[in-house]
Amino acid sequence: SWYFVFRTSLIRIYYFVTMYLAKRAFLIILIYLIPIQYLIGQQALLLKAKDSYNIDSSVKYCELSIAKAKLTNDTLLLIDSYIYLSEKYNEQSQYTNSQELCENALKLATIKKSYDLTGYCYLALANMYNYKSDNVKALKYYLDAKELLKSGNNKTKQLQCLIDIAEYYRKVMQFE
Protein backbone atom coordinates (compact mmCIF):
# COMPACT_ATOMS: atom_id res chain seq x y z
CA SER A 1 0.00 0.00 0.00
CA TRP A 2 2.85 2.45 0.68
CA TYR A 3 4.17 1.64 -2.81
CA PHE A 4 0.78 2.50 -4.29
CA VAL A 5 0.66 5.85 -2.40
CA PHE A 6 4.25 6.68 -3.42
CA ARG A 7 3.55 5.77 -7.06
CA THR A 8 0.33 7.82 -7.10
CA SER A 9 2.16 10.80 -5.61
CA LEU A 10 4.88 10.57 -8.26
CA ILE A 11 2.28 10.41 -11.00
CA ARG A 12 0.54 13.49 -9.59
CA ILE A 13 3.82 15.39 -9.37
CA TYR A 14 4.74 14.34 -12.90
CA TYR A 15 1.30 15.40 -14.17
CA PHE A 16 1.51 18.76 -12.34
CA VAL A 17 5.01 19.51 -13.69
CA THR A 18 4.15 18.58 -17.28
CA MET A 19 0.94 20.61 -17.22
CA TYR A 20 2.79 23.58 -15.71
CA LEU A 21 5.49 23.37 -18.38
CA ALA A 22 2.93 22.92 -21.14
CA LYS A 23 1.07 26.04 -20.00
CA ARG A 24 4.34 28.00 -19.86
CA ALA A 25 5.32 26.80 -23.33
CA PHE A 26 1.91 27.78 -24.66
CA LEU A 27 2.22 31.25 -23.12
CA ILE A 28 5.70 31.65 -24.59
CA ILE A 29 4.35 30.74 -28.00
CA LEU A 30 1.52 33.25 -27.61
CA ILE A 31 3.81 36.01 -26.41
CA TYR A 32 6.57 35.65 -29.00
CA LEU A 33 5.21 33.98 -32.09
CA ILE A 34 1.75 35.48 -32.46
CA PRO A 35 2.96 39.11 -32.69
CA ILE A 36 5.54 38.07 -35.29
CA GLN A 37 2.84 36.39 -37.35
CA TYR A 38 0.66 39.46 -36.91
CA LEU A 39 3.40 41.77 -38.20
CA ILE A 40 4.09 39.43 -41.10
CA GLY A 41 0.37 39.62 -41.85
CA GLN A 42 0.55 43.42 -41.92
CA GLN A 43 3.43 43.39 -44.38
CA ALA A 44 1.54 40.80 -46.41
CA LEU A 45 -1.39 43.19 -46.87
CA LEU A 46 0.88 45.85 -48.32
CA LEU A 47 2.59 43.27 -50.54
CA LYS A 48 -0.81 42.11 -51.79
CA ALA A 49 -1.63 45.73 -52.62
CA LYS A 50 1.63 46.10 -54.56
CA ASP A 51 1.15 42.81 -56.41
CA SER A 52 -2.43 43.51 -57.41
CA TYR A 53 -3.02 44.83 -60.92
CA ASN A 54 -6.52 45.96 -60.02
CA ILE A 55 -6.43 49.48 -58.59
CA ASP A 56 -9.55 48.94 -56.46
CA SER A 57 -8.02 45.83 -54.86
CA SER A 58 -4.77 47.69 -54.22
CA VAL A 59 -6.67 50.52 -52.56
CA LYS A 60 -8.60 48.04 -50.39
CA TYR A 61 -5.43 46.24 -49.27
CA CYS A 62 -3.68 49.55 -48.58
CA GLU A 63 -6.56 50.75 -46.44
CA LEU A 64 -6.46 47.50 -44.46
CA SER A 65 -2.70 47.86 -44.07
CA ILE A 66 -3.13 51.43 -42.81
CA ALA A 67 -5.77 50.34 -40.29
CA LYS A 68 -3.54 47.55 -38.93
CA ALA A 69 -0.48 49.80 -38.84
CA LYS A 70 -2.44 52.35 -36.81
CA LEU A 71 -3.52 49.67 -34.34
CA THR A 72 0.06 48.52 -33.76
CA ASN A 73 1.66 51.98 -34.03
CA ASP A 74 3.96 50.75 -36.80
CA THR A 75 5.09 54.12 -38.17
CA LEU A 76 7.27 52.76 -40.98
CA LEU A 77 4.51 50.55 -42.36
CA LEU A 78 2.03 53.40 -41.99
CA ILE A 79 4.24 55.78 -43.98
CA ASP A 80 4.86 53.16 -46.65
CA SER A 81 1.13 52.38 -46.89
CA TYR A 82 0.20 56.07 -47.07
CA ILE A 83 2.66 56.68 -49.88
CA TYR A 84 1.67 53.60 -51.86
CA LEU A 85 -2.02 54.45 -51.52
CA SER A 86 -1.16 57.99 -52.59
CA GLU A 87 0.38 56.58 -55.79
CA LYS A 88 -2.80 54.64 -56.49
CA TYR A 89 -4.89 57.76 -55.98
CA ASN A 90 -2.59 59.60 -58.40
CA GLU A 91 -3.35 56.95 -61.02
CA GLN A 92 -7.05 57.62 -60.49
CA SER A 93 -6.55 61.42 -60.62
CA GLN A 94 -7.73 61.79 -57.02
CA TYR A 95 -5.10 64.37 -56.16
CA THR A 96 -6.71 65.78 -53.02
CA ASN A 97 -6.76 62.31 -51.42
CA SER A 98 -3.20 61.73 -52.59
CA GLN A 99 -1.97 65.03 -51.17
CA GLU A 100 -3.66 64.38 -47.83
CA LEU A 101 -1.98 60.98 -47.55
CA CYS A 102 1.42 62.43 -48.48
CA GLU A 103 1.05 65.16 -45.87
CA ASN A 104 0.07 62.58 -43.23
CA ALA A 105 3.15 60.55 -44.13
CA LEU A 106 5.31 63.68 -44.00
CA LYS A 107 4.04 64.51 -40.49
CA LEU A 108 4.98 61.04 -39.29
CA ALA A 109 8.38 61.22 -40.99
CA THR A 110 9.21 64.55 -39.37
CA ILE A 111 8.24 63.12 -35.98
CA LYS A 112 10.65 60.22 -36.65
CA LYS A 113 13.35 62.78 -37.61
CA SER A 114 14.60 60.63 -40.47
CA TYR A 115 16.11 62.16 -43.61
CA ASP A 116 15.30 59.03 -45.59
CA LEU A 117 11.63 58.96 -44.61
CA THR A 118 11.19 62.71 -45.10
CA GLY A 119 12.88 62.50 -48.50
CA TYR A 120 10.64 59.57 -49.40
CA CYS A 121 7.58 61.68 -48.53
CA TYR A 122 8.90 64.63 -50.57
CA LEU A 123 9.43 62.26 -53.47
CA ALA A 124 5.81 61.12 -53.21
CA LEU A 125 4.64 64.76 -53.16
CA ALA A 126 6.81 65.51 -56.19
CA ASN A 127 5.30 62.57 -58.07
CA MET A 128 1.81 63.77 -57.16
CA TYR A 129 2.54 67.26 -58.52
CA ASN A 130 4.11 65.67 -61.58
CA TYR A 131 0.85 63.77 -62.19
CA LYS A 132 -1.05 67.05 -61.79
CA SER A 133 1.35 68.69 -64.30
CA ASP A 134 2.30 71.32 -61.73
CA ASN A 135 5.91 71.37 -62.88
CA VAL A 136 7.17 74.15 -60.62
CA LYS A 137 6.08 72.43 -57.41
CA ALA A 138 7.14 69.03 -58.71
CA LEU A 139 10.68 70.24 -59.40
CA LYS A 140 10.87 71.94 -55.98
CA TYR A 141 9.89 68.72 -54.19
CA TYR A 142 12.18 66.58 -56.37
CA LEU A 143 15.17 68.76 -55.53
CA ASP A 144 14.26 68.88 -51.83
CA ALA A 145 13.89 65.10 -51.82
CA LYS A 146 17.26 64.73 -53.54
CA GLU A 147 19.00 66.79 -50.84
CA LEU A 148 17.26 64.97 -47.99
CA LEU A 149 17.97 61.55 -49.43
CA LYS A 150 21.60 62.53 -49.99
CA SER A 151 21.84 63.16 -46.23
CA GLY A 152 20.34 59.74 -45.49
CA ASN A 153 21.76 56.33 -46.23
CA ASN A 154 19.12 54.68 -48.42
CA LYS A 155 20.86 54.35 -51.78
CA THR A 156 17.81 52.78 -53.42
CA LYS A 157 15.64 55.81 -52.67
CA GLN A 158 18.45 58.14 -53.79
CA LEU A 159 18.61 56.32 -57.11
CA GLN A 160 14.82 56.37 -57.46
CA CYS A 161 14.86 60.11 -56.84
CA LEU A 162 17.51 60.70 -59.50
CA ILE A 163 15.56 58.56 -61.98
CA ASP A 164 12.38 60.53 -61.22
CA ILE A 165 14.23 63.83 -61.70
CA ALA A 166 15.64 62.60 -65.03
CA GLU A 167 12.15 61.54 -66.11
CA TYR A 168 10.79 64.92 -65.04
CA TYR A 169 13.44 66.76 -67.10
CA ARG A 170 12.67 64.51 -70.10
CA LYS A 171 8.97 65.32 -69.71
CA VAL A 172 9.53 69.09 -69.72
CA MET A 173 12.24 68.71 -72.40
CA GLN A 174 15.11 70.18 -70.44
CA PHE A 175 18.02 68.10 -71.63
CA GLU A 176 20.87 70.18 -70.23
Side-chain angles (χ1 to χ4, degrees):
S1 86
W2 67 270
Y3 175 74
F4 179 73
V5 171
F6 179 71
R7 187 174 146 219
T8 307
S9 297
L10 281 178
I11 291 173
R12 285 183 181 160
I13 291 171
Y14 174 77
Y15 176 76
F16 176 74
V17 168
T18 54
M19 289 305 293
Y20 176 76
L21 292 176
K23 287 178 184 176
R24 297 291 273 181
F26 181 71
L27 288 175
I28 289 171
I29 288 171
L30 281 178
I31 290 171
Y32 292 107
L33 293 181
I34 298 299
I36 291 171
Q37 291 298 323
Y38 183 71
L39 291 174
I40 290 171
Q42 284 180 270
Q43 292 292 341
L45 284 173
L46 189 57
L47 290 175
K48 279 184 182 180
K50 290 181 178 181
D51 288 341
S52 178
Y53 292 106
N54 183 350
I55 290 179
D56 294 331
S57 295
S58 290
V59 168
K60 181 183 78 167
Y61 285 127
C62 279
E63 288 171 348
L64 287 172
S65 178
I66 287 169
K68 285 193 174 189
K70 283 181 179 178
L71 284 175
T72 58
N73 293 326
D74 187 350
T75 308
L76 298 177
L77 180 64
L78 190 57
I79 290 170
D80 202 23
S81 299
Y82 278 154
I83 290 175
Y84 188 74
L85 184 56
S86 150
E87 292 171 10
K88 291 301 167 186
Y89 282 148
N90 286 336
E91 292 173 14
Q92 294 178 330
S93 300
Q94 296 181 16
Y95 302 120
T96 55
N97 292 339
S98 176
Q99 186 172 4
E100 181 181 329
L101 288 168
C102 288
E103 288 170 357
N104 289 342
L106 186 59
K107 286 177 192 173
L108 291 171
T110 53
I111 290 171
K112 277 286 213 188
K113 297 179 182 174
S114 167
Y115 290 120
D116 288 330
L117 290 175
T118 307
Y120 185 38
C121 294
Y122 274 41
L123 193 58
L125 281 165
N127 287 332
M128 189 245 337
Y129 284 117
N130 197 6
Y131 267 101
K132 286 174 68 172
S133 297
D134 188 347
N135 296 329
V136 174
K137 285 186 179 178
L139 181 60
K140 175 196 174 299
Y141 279 110
Y142 278 132
L143 295 176
D144 289 346
K146 177 184 166 192
E147 292 305 313
L148 285 167
L149 291 170
K150 194 185 295 184
S151 301
N153 59 3
N154 190 336
K155 300 297 181 195
T156 306
K157 292 293 178 200
Q158 289 177 23
L159 181 60
Q160 183 61 48
C161 182
L162 292 173
I163 290 170
D164 287 348
I165 290 172
E167 181 62 28
Y168 167 80
Y169 282 135
R170 185 199 60 78
K171 179 182 170 189
V172 295
M173 297 187 183
Q174 290 183 352
F175 298 112
E176 294 180 21

